Every structure is written in C-alpha cells, then in structure tokens.
Amino acid sequence: MIVGPFIHAHGTSACLLMRRSEPEDVANVQYVLLMKLNQYFTVLLCSCFGVTITFFAIHFVFRRGRIAYFDGKYFLIWLAIPVVCGTVWGLALHFFVGHTDETTEYLRENILYHYNLKMKDVIYVGAFYWRTLENGKTELVISTAIAAVIMFSIKATSISVVCYYGFLSYRRISELPQEKESAFTKSLQKQLYKALVLQAMIPILFMYLPIGTFLMLPAFNVNIESFSKLATLFYAVYPAVDPLPLFFVIDNYRYALKEVFHGCSQKPVRVSGTENSLT
C-alpha cells in the first residue's frame, strides 16, 4: 500500500517502480530524505519476496512431520532463516542494482512512453544486464550479474527444498495403506496431501514462475514488456489464492464453508431412535 509497485521490463532490464508522491514545494532537505525513504521502502518490498519464498520452503519441512526440528531453540533458528534471506535479497538489490545514472538513461524514454512519467518522478530498483559500448559491442554488467546469482541461489534453494520434502510427503502417504491406521486417518492424510500439492502449485504458478521469468528472460535480451504487467498482478493475488485449497480439499473446511453460505439459517437435522426402530 505504501509503495504501490508496478513491475516493468524493457530490453535487457527488469525493474520495480514506485511513483513519487511528494508535493512540488517540498524543501530540498526533505526531498532528499523522502527520496531515500522511498528507496528503502522499495528495497524492503523486494526483500519481502525473499522472506516469502523462504517461509514457503520451511512450511514444507514442517508439513513433512519433522516436529522435533522446530522445538525449543531450533524454532528461533527457523524464524531467523527467512529474515536472513530477505535481508540478503534486499542488500543485493540495494548495493548492486539500485538507482544508477546508466540505468536511468536506459529506462527514461520507455518509462515516459508506457506510464507518461519522467524519471525524476520515479523511484526504482532494477537489473540492467547488458550495456552497449561505443564500438557497438555489448558487455555484461557485473554488478547485475552478482545480484542475479544471489537472488537465483535463494530461489533455487527454496524450490529444491519444496521438491525434496514434497516427494518425501508423497512417499510417506503412499505407504499408509500398508499400515494399520483408521480409515479416517488415511482419508485425512490423502486430503492433506492433495492440499499440499495444490499449495505447492499455487506459489509456483503465482510466484516462482512469473518472478523468475521476469528476472531471467531480460538477461537473454527477450522482450517481455507486456508480460511484466502480469507479474505484478500474479504476485499481488498470491496471498489471497494460497489458502483456498484448504477450503475446497479438506472435508471439514468444505462442509463448514457450505454451512456459512448455504445453511447458516438452518438447524442441522437430528435423527434419533431406539436400536429396534432403526433396524
């Protein structure tokens, strides 16, 4: 709500933009402070993505049933991991792909064309992968490459943990029919597994793929200007869509949801009688 971000890609660049909203008559000192504050807010928003994908991976470890891993002091360590990853993500953006004159000039005409905004009215963090030299050759921007390696390392670790513990969960649930457990327990485990699969697909479709594609394709000079607008929408919608599988897959949640929308004014029908009358 504070940043109001929009994601934009152009040529070999990918950036997150924030429109400045300072009044025209603001003093110079206040202007500089507000510029820095807005820049920090933009970086902080990007850091939240690093926190989110790390929490998502930890959620899969927890769902695997390794409760002992989360007892006592270990719980604090698990809480610290997303904070560390989010901080590393934000620092990588701030120091390696922050506001530069070169990136500003590269984006100037394109931002004016698409959003009718001048660069002095925009706060951004952006990856600019390739620069064109005077002789016409292209050169990799090392600072952007470093930031990309850091961000993709965090993403690759997160998705690897999800795939590994998702496979372990699948293998564990497939073994349940051979164990002496109640039909209710087996049914509940299958429902949880279906919910787990859907809860894995939703972040992959709404977070990993859109943001990963947005960050990766500009490095290969693939024009994704039209797609970049959808990346903003997908990432914004994800938190609202993520819990839906639980409501539609888990029986208890689904029945409760039906009561809320269809039977909130009706009392449940109760049938009683003696054993002889029911036989």
Side-chain angles (χ1 to χ4, degrees), residues 132-208:
T132 303
L133 304 177
E134 295 180 357
N135 58 10
K137 295 182 178 181
T138 56
E139 178 184 68
L140 178 65
V141 180
I142 301 301
S143 59
T144 300
I146 295 173
V149 169
I150 294 173
M151 291 186 291
F152 280 108
S153 296
I154 296 175
K155 280 174 61 67
T157 302
S158 175
I159 193 66
S160 298
V161 171
V162 169
C163 293
Y164 176 71
Y165 280 95
F167 172 74
L168 292 182
S169 297
Y170 166 77
R171 189 173 63 180
R172 179 70 183 93
I173 292 175
S174 65
E175 295 172 352
L176 287 178
Q178 287 76 38
E179 299 181 6
K180 295 181 180 180
E181 295 193 19
S182 65
F184 172 79
T185 300
K186 294 178 182 178
S187 175
L188 181 59
Q189 289 291 343
K190 290 181 180 180
Q191 294 172 42
L192 290 174
Y193 172 69
K194 292 178 181 179
L196 188 64
V197 171
L198 291 175
Q199 283 188 311
M201 294 303 299
I202 288 174
I204 289 173
L205 295 176
F206 284 84
M207 278 203 317
Y208 285 98

Side-chain angles (χ1 to χ4, degrees), residues 265-278:
S265 60
Q266 299 179 359
K267 294 183 178 180
V269 178
R270 298 184 181 275
V271 179
S272 60
T274 63
E275 182 178 354
N276 292 333
S277 64
L278 293 175

Side-chain angles (χ1 to χ4, degrees), residues 46-258:
C46 296
S47 300
C48 291
F49 179 78
V51 172
T52 302
I53 61 175
T54 310
F55 260 126
F56 177 60
I58 293 174
H59 171 70
F60 266 71
V61 179
F62 182 78
R63 286 287 293 269
R64 176 62 181 86
R66 302 297 186 183
I67 307 299
Y69 291 174
F70 293 83
D71 286 342
K73 61 181 180 181
Y74 297 110
F75 181 69
L76 298 178
I77 295 175
W78 287 111
L79 290 180
I81 292 175
V83 176
V84 172
C85 291
T87 301
V88 171
W89 191 287
L91 292 175
L93 291 175
H94 178 71
F95 287 106
F96 296 114
V97 291
H99 191 284
T100 65
D101 294 338
E102 184 179 35
T103 306
T104 298
E105 291 303 319
Y106 185 80
L107 294 172
R108 186 181 300 279
E109 293 185 6
N110 195 259
I111 296 299
L112 182 63
Y113 174 78
H114 283 279
Y115 305 103
N116 196 28
L117 290 174
K118 298 179 179 180
M119 292 306 294
K120 66 181 182 67
D121 299 322
V122 172
I123 304 294
Y124 71 87
V125 288
F128 176 44
Y129 288 97
W130 298 93
R131 64 165 62 96
T132 303
L133 304 177
E134 295 180 357
N135 58 10
K137 295 182 178 181
T138 56
E139 178 184 68
L140 178 65
V141 180
I142 301 301
S143 59
T144 300
I146 295 173
V149 169
I150 294 173
M151 291 186 291
F152 280 108
S153 296
I154 296 175
K155 280 174 61 67
T157 302
S158 175
I159 193 66
S160 298
V161 171
V162 169
C163 293
Y164 176 71
Y165 280 95
F167 172 74
L168 292 182
S169 297
Y170 166 77
R171 189 173 63 180
R172 179 70 183 93
I173 292 175
S174 65
E175 295 172 352
L176 287 178
Q178 287 76 38
E179 299 181 6
K180 295 181 180 180
E181 295 193 19
S182 65
F184 172 79
T185 300
K186 294 178 182 178
S187 175
L188 181 59
Q189 289 291 343
K190 290 181 180 180
Q191 294 172 42
L192 290 174
Y193 172 69
K194 292 178 181 179
L196 188 64
V197 171
L198 291 175
Q199 283 188 311
M201 294 303 299
I202 288 174
I204 289 173
L205 295 176
F206 284 84
M207 278 203 317
Y208 285 98
L209 286 180
I211 302 302
T213 302
F214 166 75
L215 293 175
M216 182 181 296
L217 291 185
F220 299 95
N221 202 17
V222 178
N223 189 354
I224 57 169
E225 288 186 8
S226 57
F227 168 79
S228 61
K229 296 178 177 61
L230 292 177
T232 306
L233 175 63
F234 287 156
Y235 184 52
V237 168
Y238 161 71
V241 177
D242 184 59
L244 293 182
L246 293 178
F247 289 102
F248 294 108
V249 175
I250 307 300
D251 288 344
N252 289 348
Y253 290 152
R254 187 169 65 252
Y255 297 151
L257 196 63
K258 286 182 179 179

